[in-house]
């Protein structure tokens, strides 16, 4: 049987963080409707991926294997300004899929996401909560994997 994890580089099966390069803040916009005053904000970061695979079953790919995520968020000068931490547990080998829970640690609080990860380089995750400035946050996070263990994450926050 072919190794489903060998079909893509290590970073292609995990996003989070996540992450190298530039922090690219985007416009934060407030949107108001006639019935509610819901604020929305979009923020984008570059990522340097630092993940490892944990083989928990018999040697080789198997259900329950995990990928531990510990990625860096960097500013435009390459300085680390945040990080993430999480785990993705493989739930399918064909196609390779993993259920992921990742928390991003930023200066003003944390943002937690969940998603079902698969090989395409673009992943969409649910924002399931936050702390600090991001307390009560909801919305989506889009993770895009780039070359050489890099990528971006864009948070589309609603509260």
């Amino acid at each position: 049987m072919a190794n489903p994890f060998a079909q893509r580089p290590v970073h292609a099966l995990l996003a989070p963080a996540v992450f190298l390069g530039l922090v690219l803040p985007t416009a934060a916009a407030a949107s108001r409707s006639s019935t509610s005053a819901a604020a929305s904000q979009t923020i984008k970061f570059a990522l340097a991926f630092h993940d490892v695979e944990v083989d928990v079953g018999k040697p080789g790919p198997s259900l329950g294997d995990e990928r531990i995520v510990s990625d860096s968020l960097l500013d435009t000068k390459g300085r680390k300004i945040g990080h993430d931490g999480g785990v993705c547990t493989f739930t399918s080998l064909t196609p390779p899929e993993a259920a992921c829970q990742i928390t991003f640690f930023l200066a003003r609080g944390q943002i937690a996401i969940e998603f079902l990860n698969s090989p395409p380089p673009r992943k969409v995750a649910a924002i399931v909560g936050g702390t600090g400035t991001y307390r009560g946050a909801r919305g989506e996070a889009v993770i895009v994997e780039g070359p050489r263990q890099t990528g971006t994450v864009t948070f589309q926050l609603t509260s």
Side-chain angles (χ1 to χ4, degrees):
M1 177 170 106
N3 179 348
F5 303 122
Q7 295 173 358
R8 306 252 321 155
V10 169
H11 71 281
L13 290 177
L14 263 205
V18 232
F19 319 138
L20 173 75
L22 307 171
V23 175
L24 304 170
T26 59
S31 70
R32 305 227 185 254
S33 72
S34 60
T35 59
S36 69
S40 65
Q41 180 181 26
T42 300
I43 51 177
K44 184 175 182 177
F45 298 96
L47 302 168
F49 297 112
H50 308 290
D51 54 322
V52 296
E53 187 174 328
V54 177
D55 191 348
V56 298
K58 61 182 179 179
S62 60
L63 296 180
D65 285 354
E66 297 177 334
R67 189 158 305 276
I68 308 303
V69 178
S70 179
D71 307 317
S72 299
L73 289 92
L74 307 176
D75 70 11
T76 57
K77 295 183 181 181
R79 294 178 298 213
K80 184 175 177 179
I81 59 160
H83 67 282
D84 68 13
V87 64
C88 293
T89 304
F90 284 89
T91 56
S92 173
L93 298 178
T94 309
E97 290 182 328
C100 300
Q101 299 81 37
I102 300 170
T103 302
F104 293 83
F105 298 86
L106 306 165
R108 299 181 322 180
Q110 301 175 25
I111 300 172
I113 67 169
E114 292 186 1
F115 64 104
L116 186 59
N117 194 359
S118 59
R122 182 180 187 276
K123 287 85 168 62
V124 178
I127 295 174
V128 296
T131 65
T133 300
Y134 311 107
R135 183 175 179 204
R138 294 288 183 255
E140 291 184 340
V142 177
I143 300 165
V144 179
E145 299 164 341
R148 298 176 300 282
Q149 295 291 91
T150 65
T152 61
V153 61
T154 303
F155 297 104
Q156 298 166 344
L157 300 163
T158 60
S159 52

